[in-house]
Amino acid sequence: MRITGLGHAGMFIETKGGNILCDPVVKPSFYGSWFVFPDNRSLDWERFAQADFLYISHRHRDHFDPWFLQTYVSKDIEVLLPEYPTDDLEQDLRKLGYNNITYTEAGKVIERGELRLMITPLRAPSDGPIGDSSLSIDDGTASILNQNDSHPLDLEKLLSFGKPEAYFTQFSGAIWWPMVYDLPLESKQSFAQLKREAQHKRAMFYIEKVDAPHVFPMAGPPMFLRDELFDFNGLGKNGDGIFTDQAEFLDRLKEEAPQYSGHIFIPGTVVEIDSGEMTVSQTLYSDAEIEEMFHDKWTYLERQRATRQEELREEEASRAAVLPPDEMLAALKAWWEPLLRKSRTIRNGVGGPVRMTIGDLDLVVDFPRAKVRAYDGEDCEFWYTIPADLVSTNIRDHEIDWSNSIFLSMQFTAGRKGKFNEFIYTFFKCLSTDRIEYVENWYSEQTDQTEETQIGDWVVQRRCPHLRADLSKTGKVDENGILTCSMHDWKWDLKTGRCLTTSGHAIRAEQCEATQDAMRPA
């Protein structure tokens, strides 16, 4: 088996049963905010497009590049479609002309001659755009796991395919940006450090559970080449960036878990595996170039910024004309109010109005009343300022996942008085009837928390209130009674059941009687 890195999460996998093209991306994504790091434009794309199978892990634009597919990939290719609860990704692919679709079943092995493969989808509200997935492959010569951005809760099902020899996984992801918030720099630096550490802990959790001898960190970080975002690359020029790079991660992996062999995986990396023997080579970049991009990063990024301004101008020219405030308000009202009326759990979870300043329009999404209306001076605990051309473009394109456009672009600012509220972002990921109905049903199905488990001196509900991870496997309790779920580093005070990470999501917990008796004064 031979695996070639295509940049970010992209890879070209040559097997005895056919070649698989995974998540190829060349164009910048999220309104020109994310560029593939390092630059992958010089790869032989004509060769890599000659695949037998196309696998798009999920709909996020740093994994799904319509321009690339239209330019290079035959419409006859067999598409391996993850089993998602809504058909958004399928419809996106069909609009591009891809109709040779194989509907995979979650956790079911597909055989193509000597090739065995399995796609494991995730389908919780916080999983990508209501969906993320991983790909397991075995062709008799080697076995690999491309976990991508996915963070599966049921590792037993994922690993039932067999222990992989090579493990490809995200280690440095996004979604929540501390740097866009109205906070002092010291707070942004602190939150960024916490986020980087949480991502590292999660990556290490999976590495140890999967236990593959060879680890390839990938699917991040991006390059930010827009002038206003440039300083947020990597750890940030001011220490408020959230992205660890591959070299930094591999240094820590070597220190913390030397039993695993970590490898740089960038555009042009070639991994060859045959019956347990592995070689890794770099075919696009020299050792000196790789040294510069990781250890003299700002010089490399400055050169990239200087040479890629035309791509930014092209993206900006593709945006919609800005709608007048009254037309924009009417469009959002007509679009969102029917969805808000269906969103009882989300509305209760948000619990108040959210203010949005969009160019000259100042509006409120009144979650309790299911209304979108002009701002009337009321106190709001959450607020956003978003460029009007981005919102106008999302209206024109009827973009049903604003995380997959505006919020991942980092081209906005935000503020809040309380904790992070996941329900707000869940709503903005679910701007279609299908998605809203799925999420509301999903929340309803999670209400049964009767099963329990013991962690240390505490008996707690077995399923995490966040995404239903099995706390008997992912939970740890410290000496202060603080429970941490290692899946996403969320925390609870077990003495009160209160979630310390976000609003809501309380947990049921009780200290063991023997421990309580021991703590009572004589």
Side-chain angles (χ1 to χ4, degrees):
M1 186 183 298
R2 177 185 296 167
I3 306 100
T4 303
L6 303 182
H8 201 62
M11 60 178 69
F12 182 70
I13 306 170
E14 297 170 86
T15 80
K16 292 183 71 175
N19 301 334
I20 309 169
L21 179 63
C22 307
D23 286 0
V25 171
V26 177
K27 288 290 188 179
S29 50
F30 310 126
Y31 287 118
S33 292
W34 292 39
F35 286 73
V36 174
F37 171 76
D39 186 2
N40 65 347
R41 291 173 296 169
S42 296
L43 289 170
D44 184 358
W45 290 111
E46 294 284 355
R47 179 172 95 80
F48 297 126
Q50 303 307 308
D52 302 290
F53 309 98
L54 173 66
Y55 166 68
I56 304 297
S57 63
H58 62 296
R59 193 172 174 263
H60 272 167
R61 287 300 191 260
D62 58 324
H63 298 258
F64 171 47
D65 182 351
W67 174 86
F68 177 86
L69 298 180
Q70 289 279 59
T71 304
Y72 288 104
V73 181
S74 167
K75 301 300 184 295
D76 297 325
I77 194 169
E78 181 178 353
V79 178
L80 304 172
L81 186 71
E83 185 183 19
Y84 288 140
T86 64
D87 65 356
D88 306 318
L89 178 58
E90 178 186 354
Q91 293 307 314
D92 287 343
L93 289 164
R94 288 193 182 278
K95 287 176 185 176
L96 296 175
Y98 295 94
N99 294 304
N100 182 15
I101 293 176
T102 293
Y103 296 91
T104 67
E105 294 183 54
K108 299 291 186 181
V109 174
I110 295 173
E111 296 186 2
R112 293 288 190 274
E114 296 180 79
L115 173 64
R116 298 170 60 249
L117 57 86
M118 181 178 79
I119 295 176
T120 306
L122 304 183
R123 296 174 286 207
S126 294
D127 292 328
I130 314 301
D132 209 330
S133 64
S134 58
L135 176 65
S136 303
I137 300 174
D138 191 323
D139 70 347
T141 69
S143 178
I144 70 169
L145 171 58
N146 171 12
Q147 189 172 307
N148 213 295
D149 288 3
S150 70
H151 309 130
L153 305 180
D154 190 350
L155 277 170
E156 292 179 2
K157 182 180 295 184
L158 178 66
L159 297 178
S160 67
F161 186 83
K163 183 177 177 178
E165 296 164 76
Y167 177 45
F168 300 79
T169 187
Q170 183 199 64
F171 67 103
S172 184
I175 287 296
W176 185 73
W177 306 110
M179 49 278 225
V180 305
Y181 276 83
D182 183 13
L183 293 168
L185 177 59
E186 294 79 4
S187 297
K188 295 179 183 181
Q189 292 168 334
S190 177
F191 279 125
Q193 172 67 15
L194 289 171
K195 182 170 177 64
R196 294 195 301 267
E197 283 302 308
Q199 292 179 145
H200 180 80
K201 289 178 184 177
R202 182 172 64 196
M204 292 302 298
F205 169 83
Y206 281 111
I207 286 169
E208 291 167 3
K209 293 295 184 183
V210 172
D211 197 33
H214 297 277
V215 176
F216 295 84
M218 55 92 160
M223 294 188 288
F224 300 123
L225 302 183
R226 299 183 66 86
D227 290 343
E228 67 273 22
L229 304 181
F230 188 75
D231 287 356
F232 296 132
N233 278 292
L235 308 184
K237 282 195 173 179
N238 295 312
D240 53 353
I242 65 169
F243 286 108
T244 304
D245 68 29
Q246 292 95 321
E248 292 163 341
F249 179 79
L250 288 173
D251 285 344
R252 287 191 65 176
L253 177 67
K254 184 176 182 180
E255 177 183 344
E256 297 172 13
Q259 66 270 33
Y260 302 112
S261 297
H263 307 271
I264 288 287
F265 190 68
I266 58 175
T269 301
V270 174
V271 182
E272 295 183 271
I273 315 172
D274 189 354
S275 303
E277 297 296 319
M278 175 181 289
T279 61
V280 180
S281 58
Q282 305 296 338
T283 62
L284 184 62
Y285 289 107
S286 68
D287 290 344
E289 289 172 320
I290 295 172
E291 174 73 15
E292 182 202 32
M293 67 182 60
F294 287 111
H295 296 103
D296 189 11
K297 185 185 300 181
W298 293 103
T299 297
Y300 178 81
L301 293 171
E302 286 283 9
R303 189 162 61 248
Q304 285 286 310
R305 175 166 65 166
T307 59
R308 305 190 71 172
Q309 292 300 304
E310 182 59 31
E311 292 172 76
L312 293 175
R313 304 292 82 81
E314 289 176 1
E315 186 282 319
E316 291 169 356
S318 72
R319 299 178 186 177
V322 172
L323 291 170
D326 57 341
E327 291 184 25
M328 183 180 293
L329 179 60
L332 295 176
K333 185 179 182 70
W335 182 1
W336 292 354
E337 285 189 352
L339 301 176
L340 286 165
R341 290 193 289 270
K342 295 176 178 288
S343 308
R344 184 181 299 273
T345 306
I346 291 174
R347 293 196 339 251
N348 290 338
V350 177
V354 173
R355 183 180 178 185
M356 305 182 75
T357 304
I358 306 169
D360 295 330
L361 173 62
D362 207 352
L363 66 80
V364 158
V365 184
D366 190 335
F367 280 89
R369 295 176 175 82
K371 295 292 184 184
V372 178
R373 54 178 172 77
Y375 175 63
D376 196 29
E378 65 266 57
D379 185 52
C380 297
E381 292 196 1
F382 305 94
W383 58 93
Y384 296 90
T385 301
I386 306 175
D389 59 343
L390 301 191
V391 174
S392 298
T393 304
N394 271 10
I395 292 172
R396 179 195 69 188
D397 299 342
H398 201 72
E399 174 53 66
I400 60 175
D401 180 3
W402 285 29
S403 174
N404 193 19
S405 54
I406 291 172
F407 291 131
L408 276 169
S409 80
M410 212 167 30
Q411 296 178 50
F412 71 102
T413 58
R416 67 174 193 255
K417 294 181 181 178
K419 296 179 182 177
F420 175 79
N421 190 304
E422 184 180 18
F423 290 103
I424 297 174
Y425 290 94
T426 298
F427 176 75
F428 284 116
K429 291 178 185 179
C430 299
L431 298 174
S432 71
T433 299
D434 286 350
R435 288 189 174 211
I436 284 291
E437 290 180 346
Y438 172 74
V439 167
E440 285 291 318
N441 290 333
W442 189 90
Y443 281 131
S444 296
E445 292 170 2
Q446 311 311 308
T447 57
D448 180 12
Q449 302 288 3
T450 57
E451 193 176 4
E452 296 178 335
T453 189
Q454 183 169 341
I455 306 175
D457 297 330
W458 292 85
V459 175
V460 302
Q461 64 186 56
R462 182 166 180 172
R463 294 295 172 179
C464 173
H466 177 212
L467 288 180
R468 299 278 289 168
D470 185 344
L471 291 172
S472 69
K473 300 176 181 178
T474 64
K476 293 183 179 180
V477 180
D478 67 17
E479 65 276 8
N480 298 314
I482 304 301
L483 167 69
T484 300
C485 177
S486 60
M487 294 298 293
H488 297 92
D489 209 44
W490 280 37
K491 301 180 187 299
W492 287 263
D493 181 351
L494 296 184
K495 294 183 288 294
T496 64
R498 185 168 63 92
C499 181
L500 302 177
T501 304
T502 187
S503 300
H505 297 281
I507 197 168
R508 190 183 74 259
E510 185 177 18
Q511 201 162 20
C512 299
E513 288 186 11
T515 305
Q516 291 175 336
D517 291 342
M519 295 174 63
R520 292 189 181 108

